[in-house]
Amino acid sequence: MNEPLVHLRATSRQTDLALAWMRIRAIARRHAYVLKRSPHRLFDVTVWPLVDVLLFGSLGVFVSRHGGAGTIAFGYLLSGIVLWHVVYQSQIALSTGLLEETWSRNLLNLMVTPLREVEYVAGVVLFGMVKLAIGVGVVVFTALGFYAFNVTNLGWGLAPIAAVLLAVGWVIALFVIGIVLRFGSGAEALAWGILFIVMPLSGVFYPVQALPLVLRPIALALPTTHAFAAGRALLVHHGLQWGQIWIAAGSTVGLLVVAAVFVTAMLALFRKRGYVTRYS
């Protein structure tokens, strides 16, 4: 008696998953078409990474010529900028995904479709992974071609570090999206500006001990600080410091929960107060 009902439910579940995947791919394709028709949007994944490597790579070469700690500083600078672009590209891809909808006045159209919020985020993240691969690829190959710095020499220990930094970028983007939903287009600058606050506090190129004493507790509370510390340990052949990785991963999960609650509350407020009219 219950077999037809169970089969019907299973079929319905499969259909729902298929439709969800179709909507996710549609969002990814929508952003791919935007990039194709507006190639200047490739600036963030081509020109900016290239400039970063040239800047910090040349600085590293200059410092390394003085010998001693200068050689270590060279590695710190180039490995730091490679790993930093994992955070940068993942955050920019997700946060500017929403901004693209506001710029094109498309937000209201999305809200009247069957598209769920989590599907939209998944679609932007899916396309963002392509941009991430391009941006980080530019950094890696520029460092290799211009400065003979091969980041893959650090080994597979880079994988968990990069995974944590990727998730951190998404967490930051969720906070930015929540703020934009609440305060409107005036908060768009945070999509880029917030990274310039996180970067010096994360010890991208130096240990936390190099920061002013008053800023160290803030730096130690950031998951990025522990991820970059693990990256520097790999560079000086101290092995992968799993303690740092677990601290970074745990704090990232905690921040992800906070970010999800925050963006959900801001979305509810966005709907309740009719803020969508700002973008129609």
Side-chain angles (χ1 to χ4, degrees), residues 115-240:
L115 180 72
R116 293 190 289 264
E117 290 82 0
V118 67
E119 294 168 351
Y120 177 81
V121 171
V124 176
V125 166
L126 180 62
F127 177 67
M129 294 299 290
V130 177
K131 295 179 68 176
L132 172 71
I134 297 172
V136 175
V138 170
V139 173
V140 169
F141 286 112
T142 304
L144 180 62
F146 288 173
Y147 303 105
F149 180 81
N150 189 354
V151 71
T152 60
N153 288 340
L154 298 181
W156 289 102
L158 278 177
I161 297 173
V164 169
L165 294 176
L166 178 68
V168 170
W170 292 336
V171 168
I172 296 173
L174 288 177
F175 279 113
V176 171
I177 289 173
I179 294 172
V180 170
L181 288 174
R182 174 61 181 84
F183 297 102
S185 58
E188 290 177 2
L190 287 175
W192 294 268
I194 195 169
L195 292 173
F196 291 100
I197 299 174
V198 175
M199 188 180 191
L201 293 174
S202 298
V204 177
F205 309 112
Y206 44 76
V208 173
Q209 290 74 17
L211 287 170
L213 190 62
V214 68
L215 295 177
R216 292 178 193 174
I218 301 174
L220 290 172
L222 298 176
T224 45
T225 302
H226 301 281
F228 283 110
R232 286 192 298 274
L234 282 179
L235 187 67
V236 295
H237 308 294
H238 287 171
L240 184 59

Side-chain angles (χ1 to χ4, degrees), residues 73-133:
F74 172 76
Y76 278 12
L77 288 168
L78 280 176
S79 63
I81 200 60
V82 169
L83 291 174
W84 174 250
H85 266 272
V86 176
V87 182
Y88 176 84
Q89 298 297 341
S90 62
Q91 190 272 336
I92 287 295
L94 181 52
S95 58
T96 57
L98 174 75
L99 294 180
E100 172 59 38
E101 309 300 348
T102 65
W103 295 332
S104 59
R105 305 292 179 181
N106 191 46
L107 201 56
L108 182 59
N109 296 330
L110 290 176
M111 295 187 70
V112 297
T113 68
L115 180 72
R116 293 190 289 264
E117 290 82 0
V118 67
E119 294 168 351
Y120 177 81
V121 171
V124 176
V125 166
L126 180 62
F127 177 67
M129 294 299 290
V130 177
K131 295 179 68 176
L132 172 71

